[in-house]
Amino acid sequence: MTVATNMEPQSDPNAEPMISLQHIYKSFEGKEVLRDLSIDIARGESVVIVGGSGTGKSVTLKHIIGLLRPDSGHVMIEGRDITEMRPVELNRFRQHFGMAFQEGALFDSMSVFENIAFPLRRHTKMTEEAIAARVEECLEQVHLHGVDGKRPSELSGGMRRRVGFARAISLKPEILLFDEPTTGLDPVISDVVADLIVEMDRTLNTTTVTITHDMKVAFKIADRVAMLFQGHIVEDGTPAEFQRSENPIVQQFIEGRAEGPLTDGTNE
Amino acid sequence: MIRVLEQIGRVFLRLFEETGLWFTMLWRTMAWSVRPPYGVGEWFRQMVRLGVDSIPVVFLTAMFTGMVLALQTFIGFQRVHAESFVGSVVALAMLRELSPVLVGLMVTGRVGSSMAAEIGTMRVTEQIDALEALATDPIQYLFVPRVIAGIVMLPFLVVLGDALGIGGGYLVAVRLMHANPVQYEINTYQFLDMNDVWSGLIKASAFGLILTLTGCVRGYYTTGGAEGVGRSTTAAVVNASLIILLSDFFLTKLLF
């Protein structure tokens, strides 16, 4: 396992990291969101990035898949710098990724089946029979049955997330990204979704990056937990190391206290 | 005084920014339209949505415009005993000007707005990010079929509008104002040449491009949830209508 924090990213001579964010800076309309963010993620690892609302977790995830470009810094995926890629090349490269969005982001003009078949129809030469079989397989992977003909608006929040997962894995990606997979779900469904992420990570043998502010979910699915604060990683370690951390920022976040360094200087 | 100048400067800056953005998106749409996969099925779906589904609106607009035009010109021309020119005026006005502009404006209200709302909703619900994450360029998947549908289908709607406008004019002049039907028909075609038809159709394609691209661009750059979608929809209609009216003058100057 590779551990890198805001300090100099450490390189493992034996294995190139699958994902390497190097000194990322990103501002929106003069507001600096990411400030010298660096993290390495090894192949097959499940990393959870935690942090409060508005700390740049989603922005970090969007940098990994190239939906956002950094103001400066590099995003290396399997040793290739995606910030240097031309849009057409980057577009093609994204087939290595599967991303599940916060509310599912399912195409509401399509049925569940069409949503999952969408990337298969666009990027493969599979026959309709093969596509139907693959869609069925993906739905089974997320434990959903008999919903293929339904519209996204007919599904519950938890089901929409799972269909989003099914769509994300349809092209058999090497990297899976989960954006707040349990936000807005009740605790039981959150746990079901967390179990599903663990299961997918194991059976599909992917490198997984999840962002969340739900510590219970984070500890369940992570090989490694990293905490984002003020635009960079302030703590990075296994769930056990993370829980034992003496960093007051981490302790305040885990305990969910209103007072502490996380809220100093804010009105929250 | 400085504040006023600042405000004026800001307005001009924004105007230049918007113009630059519009042409950048036009260029990107053109570039993506020649790259596979083409998604011809989606092209046809958009053509039906923009073209076939707009027929009732075009029918009423063009028919009644032709009718009111005949009525107005007949009453006016009667004063100078020039009723025989009514057919020519209606036909020329419909073909060269009214049909392309009115169809363009009506389709902007009906389709340009819904494109902005649809794409804007996709933006705020992260569906556009999802498209990109699924290795699909949103310009290719969303813009190209819509813009092609606009360029291809608007001329068909304008031809329909031409026929209905001229027909409506004929009905009013002959049935209501008791003009001689044979003479009216002869007068209608007497001063027309094919250039009148072609120039109307070229305008129609240009307006089709303007209204679809403006709807798509406004939707694509939506921010701020449901309120933002509302703003984009309004901006799409207002901007596209203004660009159509302004470009109409320059196209007319260029084409005649």
Side-chain angles (χ1 to χ4, degrees), chain A residues 62 91 94 108 110 122-123, chain B residues 127 129 132 134-136:
Chain A
K62 285 179 179 175
N91 203 40
R94 287 203 186 105
D108 44 25
M110 301 179 194
R122 278 193 82 82
H123 304 301
Chain B
Q127 291 178 54
D129 285 339
E132 288 191 77
L134 293 166
T136 301

Side-chain angles (χ1 to χ4, degrees), chain B residues 35-219:
Chain B
R35 285 199 190 107
Y38 297 109
V40 180
E42 181 64 10
W43 292 13
F44 280 109
R45 208 175 71 82
Q46 293 300 332
M47 283 184 194
V48 169
R49 190 178 154 201
L50 187 141
V52 180
D53 296 350
S54 296
I55 289 175
V57 173
V58 169
F59 185 94
L60 287 173
T61 310
M63 184 94 166
F64 277 89
T65 303
M67 284 163 70
V68 79
L69 191 62
L71 196 59
Q72 289 279 27
T73 47
F74 208 98
I75 293 165
F77 283 19
Q78 248 177 351
R79 294 174 194 164
V80 290
H81 306 290
E83 301 95 316
S84 58
F85 288 111
V86 171
S88 306
V89 168
V90 171
L92 279 171
M94 287 306 299
L95 290 174
R96 292 166 68 129
E97 187 58 38
L98 289 177
S99 184
V101 172
L102 289 177
V103 168
L105 294 178
M106 293 310 289
V107 176
T108 298
R110 209 191 76 82
V111 182
S113 58
S114 81
M115 283 178 182
E118 185 185 7
I119 296 176
T121 305
M122 287 183 78
R123 167 61 76 196
V124 300
T125 55
E126 291 191 306
Q127 291 178 54
I128 289 184
D129 285 339
L131 271 179
E132 288 191 77
L134 293 166
T136 301
D137 191 279
I139 306 292
Q140 185 185 31
Y141 184 71
L142 298 171
F143 283 41
V144 171
R146 285 165 175 78
V147 171
I148 285 178
I151 293 172
V152 171
M153 293 311 283
L154 225 68
F156 285 103
L157 291 173
V158 165
V159 167
L160 182 70
D162 290 342
L164 287 163
I166 292 170
Y170 176 89
L171 277 180
V172 167
V174 172
R175 301 277 169 194
L176 207 64
M177 310 305 284
H178 309 294
N180 180 316
V182 178
Q183 196 58 45
Y184 186 90
E185 207 174 318
I186 291 168
N187 288 338
T188 297
Y189 302 115
Q190 198 174 6
F191 299 110
L192 289 186
D193 65 49
M194 278 313 283
N195 188 39
D196 298 322
V197 179
W198 290 126
S199 62
L201 297 186
I202 292 168
K203 274 186 183 179
S205 273
F207 296 162
L209 166 74
I210 290 165
L211 77 93
T212 48
L213 188 64
T214 309
C216 291
V217 171
R218 289 275 61 92

Side-chain angles (χ1 to χ4, degrees), chain A residues 206-217:
Chain A
T206 52
T207 305
T208 306
V209 184
T210 309
I211 59 164
T212 183
H213 53 251
D214 185 334
M215 290 313 296
K216 191 166 166 260
V217 169

Side-chain angles (χ1 to χ4, degrees), chain A residues 26-39:
Chain A
K26 182 72 179 175
S27 299
F28 294 98
E29 292 170 1
K31 187 176 181 287
E32 200 169 51
V33 177
L34 299 183
R35 185 162 53 88
D36 197 18
L37 178 129
S38 295
I39 185 168

Side-chain angles (χ1 to χ4, degrees), chain A residues 88-238:
Chain A
V88 178
E89 193 187 355
L90 176 61
N91 203 40
R92 214 174 302 131
F93 193 73
R94 287 203 186 105
Q95 290 181 38
H96 293 272
F97 292 91
M99 181 163 177
F101 287 83
Q102 200 169 337
E103 301 286 340
L106 302 177
F107 304 129
D108 44 25
S109 58
M110 301 179 194
S111 67
V112 166
F113 179 91
E114 287 166 333
N115 262 283
I116 302 167
F118 180 85
L120 300 169
R121 285 182 175 146
R122 278 193 82 82
H123 304 301
T124 70
K125 292 196 166 78
M126 289 165 78
T127 60
E128 276 304 305
E129 290 77 36
I131 288 174
R134 178 69 191 143
V135 170
E136 190 57 36
E137 202 181 338
C138 293
L139 282 171
E140 250 166 49
Q141 178 79 49
V142 298
H143 308 300
L144 278 176
H145 303 279
V147 295
D148 7 355
K150 290 196 172 167
R151 295 261 154 188
S153 55
E154 295 172 84
L155 303 176
S156 67
M159 283 165 104
R160 271 205 296 274
R161 310 282 166 108
R162 285 195 272 168
V163 174
F165 294 179
R167 186 178 66 182
I169 60 170
S170 63
L171 283 175
K172 301 184 177 170
E174 296 158 65
I175 300 168
L176 270 177
L177 308 175
F178 294 96
D179 185 358
E180 302 271 10
T182 57
T183 300
L185 301 179
D186 70 56
V188 177
I189 301 294
S190 290
D191 200 50
V192 170
V193 168
D195 281 340
L196 189 59
I197 293 173
V198 173
E199 187 189 322
M200 283 164 71
D201 183 50
R202 281 190 195 135
T203 56
L204 302 173
N205 200 23
T206 52
T207 305
T208 306
V209 184
T210 309
I211 59 164
T212 183
H213 53 251
D214 185 334
M215 290 313 296
K216 191 166 166 260
V217 169
F219 290 139
K220 188 161 201 171
I221 63 182
D223 295 329
R224 222 172 96 207
V225 184
M227 176 144 185
L228 190 61
F229 178 62
Q230 289 182 341
H232 58 265
I233 304 293
V234 291
E235 188 69 45
D236 187 345
T238 62

